[in-house]
């Protein structure tokens, strides 16, 4: 079957499955009517929006979630990659309950927060760490630290990477083909209205997996560039792996120009290995940012790294926040990292992830649809393109129609997935092999339907 015929079939499937999904979710439709009166798009964050309305969740337990209509799903959305511990994990619940009983907030540092800082330093090989409430704040603070340490203003980021919603990094996150600029010298394109026009001069963009292009930018503007902030594995365009040697050479190039290398491990941190991508790929950056799975489901972020850089906080670089290191979040994070996400847990997650990706790849190969499955620890994705992705521009070549058909298809068969083709699955320690097989069965039927 030709790719055109598969695409046409995908469009029919998307229409039919979307209608079936809407028929099964009238309570979500009603809640949307209520929610949209008091919140734009009817959601708390624009990433949660969906057309014509989002699926509203009632509760979660273990690997499962239930929507407000009572439909049950196995959760592969994982709160955008946060819930590696699974829902309501007894050890995390116990830690939060204890914290709730003994005081939820002091804005004075508690021993739990100190213990969590120690655990983060141990796991991620940081000299020092500081807390935030989100990944956005973590990247914002790491950038300020780099700017303070270098007395330079320019931030260099990778095309197609998302690092949160502060102005400095809201450039070239999902630029359209007409606004991308050249392949080796991408334009800085704002993602949002409301970013000062002037901000563009302080954010430059380079392509992923291209040391030559990076070296060119650094040669030309290195003396102005405070930091390169990057995801060591791109995880907001499916999954794009760093090519062998790439991260090592990036580190060398940054060091050569006195540019602080920041790894944004908000997604990869506690998911792809106990010590995140830095451990998995054996490259230690100057600073790292964490959030999502690191907090075990609570609102927790952190940034840390080289002692001389972190020490800038004692020498004039400001870092504040009423809720930083909040005892509830710290308790959840500490329980998650020390009691749940143990070395055995990573082995289990890695095994399930491999089974899932191999199962999906088998279905892809048998049907011949243009797609590829990738797994990395508890994270994984199917990208609708035959060749592996190496950068953002490859991602733009993915077949969106196939993704748009897959999303309602999977939901209608009990697989809760993220809205958006840039996302990926997250498996938790509470997922079972049966959960993984449910996903594989639903996806296999999808592939067969595309070529039927
Ligand atoms: C790589 C990366 N960095 C930073 C962020 C921002 O984190 P938060 O949503 O907690 O502000 C995200 C969120 O998806 C992310 O994927």
């Amino acid at each position: 079957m030709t790719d055109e015929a598969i695409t046409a079939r995908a469009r029919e499937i998307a229409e039919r499955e979307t209608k079936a999904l809407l028929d099964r979710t009238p309570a979500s439709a009603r809640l949307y009517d209520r929610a949209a009166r008091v919140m734009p798009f009817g959601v708390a964050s624009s990433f949660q929006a969906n057309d014509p309305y989002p699926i509203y969740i009632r509760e979660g337990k273990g690997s499962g979630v239930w929507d407000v209509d009572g439909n049950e799903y196995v959760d592969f959305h994982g709160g955008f990659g946060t819930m590696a511990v699974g829902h309501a994990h007894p050890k995390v619940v116990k830690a939060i309950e204890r914290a709730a009983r003994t005081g939820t907030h002091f804005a004075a540092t508690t021993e739990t927060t100190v213990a969590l800082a120690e655990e983060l330093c141990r796991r991620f090989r940081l000299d020092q760490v500081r807390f935030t409430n989100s990944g956005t704040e973590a990247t914002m603070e790491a950038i300020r630290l780099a700017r303070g340490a270098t007395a330079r203003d320019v931030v260099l980021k990778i095309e197609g990477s998302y690092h949160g919603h502060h102005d400095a990094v809201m450039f070239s996150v999902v630029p359209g083909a007409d606004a991308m600029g050249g392949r080796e010298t991408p334009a800085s394109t704002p993602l949002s209205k409301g970013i000062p026009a002037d901000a563009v001069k302080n954010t430059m963009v380079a392509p992923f997996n291209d040391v030559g292009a990076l070296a060119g930018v650094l040669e030309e503007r290195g003396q102005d560039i405070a930091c390169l902030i990057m995801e060591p594995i791109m995880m907001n365009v499916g999954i794009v792996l760093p090519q062998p040697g790439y991260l090592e050479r990036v580190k060398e190039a940054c060091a050569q120009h006195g540019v602080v290398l920041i790894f944004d491990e908000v997604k990869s941190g506690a998911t792809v290995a106990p010590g995140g991508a830095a451990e998995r790929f054996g490259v230690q950056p100057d600073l790292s940012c964490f959030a999502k799975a690191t907090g075990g489901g609570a609102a927790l972020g952190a940034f840390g790294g080289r002692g001389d850089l972190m020490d800038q906080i004692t020498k004039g670089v400001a870092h504040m926040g009423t809720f930083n290191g909040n005892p509830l979040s710290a308790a959840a994070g500490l329980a998650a990292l020390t009691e749940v996400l143990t070395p055995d847990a990573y082995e289990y997650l890695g095994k399930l992830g491999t089974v899932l990706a191999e199962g999906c790849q088998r279905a892809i190969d048998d049907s011949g649809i243009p797609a590829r499955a990738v797994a990395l620890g508890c994270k994984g994705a199917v990208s609708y393109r035959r060749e592996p992705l190496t950068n953002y521009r490859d991602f733009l070549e993915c077949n969106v129609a196939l993704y748009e058909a897959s999303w309602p298809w999977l939901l209608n068969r009990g697989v809760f997935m993220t809205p958006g083709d840039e996302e990926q699955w997250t498996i938790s320690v509470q997922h079972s092999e049966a959960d993984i097989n449910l996903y594989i069965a639903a996806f296999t039927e999808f592939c067969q339907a595309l070529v039927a």
Side-chain angles (χ1 to χ4, degrees), residues 161-182:
S161 276
Y162 177 68
H163 300 293
H165 50 276
H166 56 97
D167 288 356
V169 290
M170 289 280 278
F171 286 92
S172 300
V173 177
V174 277
D178 53 335
M180 288 191 306

Side-chain angles (χ1 to χ4, degrees), residues 47 80 133-137 139 162-165 231 235-236 264-268 291-292 300 423:
F47 276 138
F80 284 135
N133 305 290
S134 66
T136 296
E137 287 173 63
T139 62
Y162 177 68
H163 300 293
H165 50 276
E231 292 178 279
M235 282 202 182
N236 282 290
D264 177 349
E265 295 234 41
V266 165
K267 274 193 158 172
S268 54
K292 298 202 187 250
L300 182 101
E423 282 292 333

Side-chain angles (χ1 to χ4, degrees), residues 152-155 220-227:
R152 300 172 182 175
D153 288 344
V154 177
V155 171
E220 201 176 311
R221 294 290 307 278
Q223 71 283 1
D224 303 320
I225 297 175
C227 60

Side-chain angles (χ1 to χ4, degrees), residues 324-345:
N324 293 356
N326 167 269
L328 265 185
S329 303
L334 187 63
L337 294 184
T338 60
E339 297 179 52
V340 183
L341 296 174
T342 58
D344 286 351

Side-chain angles (χ1 to χ4, degrees), residues 31-45 48 56:
L31 191 52
Y32 172 70
D33 284 343
R34 228 176 103 192
R37 275 185 223 126
V38 286
M39 291 184 285
F41 292 136
V43 288
S45 151
Q48 298 167 12
Y56 290 88

